[in-house]
């Protein structure tokens, strides 16, 4: 106790203060702390729930976002595929049409060439006939002037010989 | 084709007798004369209404040199107003003679033929010369040579014929 007095500490007061402190601690321990702890737990739970909810919401949002992005990607892929199909189809159709047109053009050209060949041959034939006719007519006119009575006599003599031969053959 | 009236006249003419070939030749000549001289035909038609004696005299004058049977035929035709029947009568008479074995021979020539030429041609035919009904026609379009038709067979030995054949061949080829 002398030591305590040297340091200015009242022993009795200290003991009473200690008893007060103990009583206070006891009261707090028994009455306040549980409630405080309960409150704190509740608050912690609440905060945790909120955090969880927020986390869930965030996850949901992210999931939605991901789903939306997947949908968008899928739609984009489908659109790309459709465009590609359409382009391929257009290319095929163009190729088919071009081939068909080329085939028609070739057929038309062949027919036209054939018709031209027929026309050419027809014209040639007509020309040949015309030339032949003119030649024969000219020959007739020339021979009419050229054939003399002596030629006629020779021809008649030859005709008689020919007739004799023919009648002989016929007679057989 | 000769009609029945013409055939009747032809038969009557055949039955009138005479040399068949000479009758035929006279008939042909008369027919040709009536065809080429319209005035002659007119006169003959005009004679038809005259008395018989006058008709016979006129016909004898107009067709001097023709055999009696021909003159009688013409008299009949003039009286019956059937002078237009002459070509058919000739056809009918020719047919009658063919049935008796006569052969029609037609010689178409570019220029006039001499008797020797005609004889040479007839000699080369496989036909009884006594039974030939000969007709010689000038056809300048033949140019040279002759075309001989014997019955239904024909021999073209003319320049014109050869040119016609050439034209036909060229047309066919064209």
């Amino acid at each position: 106790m002398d030591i305590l007095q040297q340091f200015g500490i009242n022993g009795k007061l200290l003991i009473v203060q200690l008893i007060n402190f103990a009583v206070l601690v006891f009261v707090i321990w028994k009455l306040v702390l549980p409630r405080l702890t309960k409150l704190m737990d509740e608050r912690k739970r609440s905060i945790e729930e909120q955090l969880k909810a927020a986390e869930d919401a965030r996850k949901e949002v992210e999931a939605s976002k991901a789903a939306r992005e997947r949908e968008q990607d899928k739609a984009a892929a489908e659109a790309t595929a459709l465009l590609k199909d359409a382009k391929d189809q257009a290319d095929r159709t163009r190729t088919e049409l071009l081939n068909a047109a080329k085939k028609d053009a070739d057929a038309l050209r062949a027919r036209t060439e054939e018709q031209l060949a027929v026309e050419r041959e027809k014209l040639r034939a007509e020309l040949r006939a015309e030339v032949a006719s003119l030649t024969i007519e000219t020959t007739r006119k020339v021979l009419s002037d050229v054939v003399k009575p002596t030629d006629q006599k020779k021809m008649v003599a030859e005709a008689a010989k020919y007739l004799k031969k023919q009648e002989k053959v016929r007679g057989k | 084709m000769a009609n029945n009236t013409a055939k009747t006249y032809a038969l009557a003419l055949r039955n009138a007798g005479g040399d068949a070939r000479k009758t035929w030749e006279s008939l042909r000549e008369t027919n040709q004369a009536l065809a080429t001289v319209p005035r002659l035909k007119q006169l003959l038609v005009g004679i038809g209404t005259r008395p018989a004696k006058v008709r016979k005299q006129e016909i004898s004058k107009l067709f001097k040199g023709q055999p009696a049977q021909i003159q009688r035929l013409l008299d009949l035709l003039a009286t019956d107003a059937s002078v237009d029947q002459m070509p058919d009568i000739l056809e009918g008479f020719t047919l009658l003679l063919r049935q008796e074995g006569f052969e029609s021979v037609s010689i178409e020539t570019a220029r006039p033929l001499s008797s020797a030429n005609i004889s040479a041609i007839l000699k080369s035919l496989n036909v009884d010369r006594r039974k030939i009904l000969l007709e010689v026609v000038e056809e300048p379009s033949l140019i040279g040579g002759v075309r001989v038709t014997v019955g239904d067979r024909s021999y073209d030995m003319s320049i014109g014929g050869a040119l016609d054949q050439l034209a036909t061949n060229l047309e066919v080829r064209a």
Side-chain angles (χ1 to χ4, degrees):
Chain A
M1 288 293 232
D2 292 329
I3 296 165
L4 290 174
Q5 278 178 354
Q6 282 179 358
F7 284 101
I9 297 172
N10 191 340
K12 289 180 187 169
L13 187 66
L14 181 67
I15 292 166
V16 172
Q17 283 177 342
L18 282 172
I19 292 169
N20 281 337
F21 180 74
V23 171
L24 183 66
V25 165
F26 179 79
V27 168
I28 290 172
W29 179 267
K30 277 289 181 186
L31 295 174
V32 174
L33 198 61
R35 281 187 186 173
L36 196 62
T37 306
K38 190 179 172 187
L39 275 171
M40 283 179 68
D41 284 342
E42 279 177 3
R43 189 166 169 76
K44 186 181 170 189
R45 199 169 41 251
S46 170
I47 289 169
E48 279 179 355
E49 278 176 4
Q50 281 179 4
L51 282 174
K52 188 169 179 292
E55 183 62 25
D56 287 346
R58 190 188 64 81
K59 281 184 182 168
E60 207 174 301
V61 164
E62 277 182 10
S64 296
K65 191 179 168 190
R68 199 170 51 250
E69 280 175 0
R70 275 199 300 279
E71 285 297 319
Q72 280 177 350
D73 289 342
K74 190 176 164 190
E78 279 178 6
T80 306
L82 277 172
L83 275 171
K84 187 173 178 303
D85 280 347
K87 189 174 173 298
D88 290 344
Q89 181 63 34
D91 286 341
R92 274 199 298 276
T93 304
R94 190 176 67 235
T95 308
E96 278 169 18
L97 285 173
L98 276 172
N99 287 342
K102 189 172 177 296
K103 202 172 161 188
D104 286 345
D106 288 342
L108 182 62
R109 192 170 42 241
R111 265 202 311 277
T112 307
E113 279 173 7
E114 205 181 298
Q115 276 169 1
L116 280 172
V118 165
E119 283 299 309
R120 250 196 317 269
E121 197 45 48
K122 195 175 155 194
L123 279 171
R124 275 202 196 114
E126 280 173 15
L127 188 61
R128 271 200 297 269
E130 190 63 35
V131 167
S133 176
L134 282 169
T135 307
I136 287 168
E137 284 315 303
T138 308
T139 308
R140 254 189 240 274
K141 285 186 181 133
V142 167
L143 286 175
S144 297
D145 295 335
V146 158
V147 170
K148 298 186 197 56
T150 45
D151 299 321
Q152 172 72 352
K153 271 188 194 162
K154 283 180 196 167
M155 279 189 264
V156 170
E158 288 299 320
K161 281 184 197 165
Y162 174 78
L163 264 174
K164 197 171 181 181
K165 218 183 278 183
Q166 292 298 309
E167 288 286 285
K168 207 174 175 182
V169 165
R170 191 183 151 270
K172 287 179 188 168
Chain B
M1 188 76 76
N3 58 60
N4 287 334
T5 310
K7 281 179 187 169
T8 308
Y9 280 123
L11 189 60
L13 184 62
R14 185 70 189 102
N15 291 337
D19 186 280
R21 201 155 58 99
K22 283 188 177 151
T23 305
W24 180 84
E25 281 171 8
S26 299
L27 187 61
R28 195 175 60 81
E29 264 176 39
T30 308
N31 186 49
Q32 208 164 350
L34 288 170
T36 51
V37 185
R39 177 77 184 131
L40 183 62
K41 191 175 175 183
Q42 271 172 15
L43 285 169
L44 183 59
V45 168
I47 283 168
T49 50
R50 307 267 178 86
K53 200 175 173 184
V54 173
R55 277 202 318 268
K56 282 191 174 114
Q57 278 174 356
E58 293 290 320
I59 286 169
S60 179
K61 233 188 275 179
L62 286 173
F63 297 93
K64 198 175 173 181
Q66 296 299 340
Q69 59 269 38
I70 296 291
Q71 290 188 12
R72 274 202 298 279
L73 173 66
L74 290 168
D75 183 33
L76 211 57
L77 291 176
T79 315
D80 292 348
S82 301
V83 177
D84 288 337
Q85 296 278 351
M86 271 301 277
D88 288 342
I89 294 169
L90 174 62
E91 192 185 326
F93 193 78
T94 308
L95 197 63
L96 282 171
L97 293 189
R98 279 204 194 130
Q99 286 168 357
E100 291 173 26
F102 280 82
E103 193 84 76
S104 293
V105 174
S106 163
I107 303 176
E108 291 168 272
T109 172
R111 291 170 193 265
L113 289 174
S114 64
S115 315
N117 287 151
I118 294 172
S119 193
I121 289 170
L122 294 177
K123 210 174 165 185
S124 60
L125 293 176
N126 191 17
V127 177
D128 183 352
R129 288 187 69 176
R130 292 167 300 177
K131 289 208 158 187
I132 287 178
L133 303 176
L134 179 63
E135 193 177 356
V136 180
V137 178
E138 269 185 49
E139 185 57 67
S141 68
L142 297 183
I143 303 172
V146 289
R147 183 159 53 212
V148 178
T149 307
V150 183
D152 55 359
R153 49 189 196 281
S154 184
Y155 303 95
D156 194 331
M157 294 153 293
S158 67
I159 294 174
L163 288 172
D164 288 340
Q165 185 60 46
L166 181 61
T168 305
N169 290 346
L170 288 171
E171 265 175 42
V172 166
R173 237 182 272 158

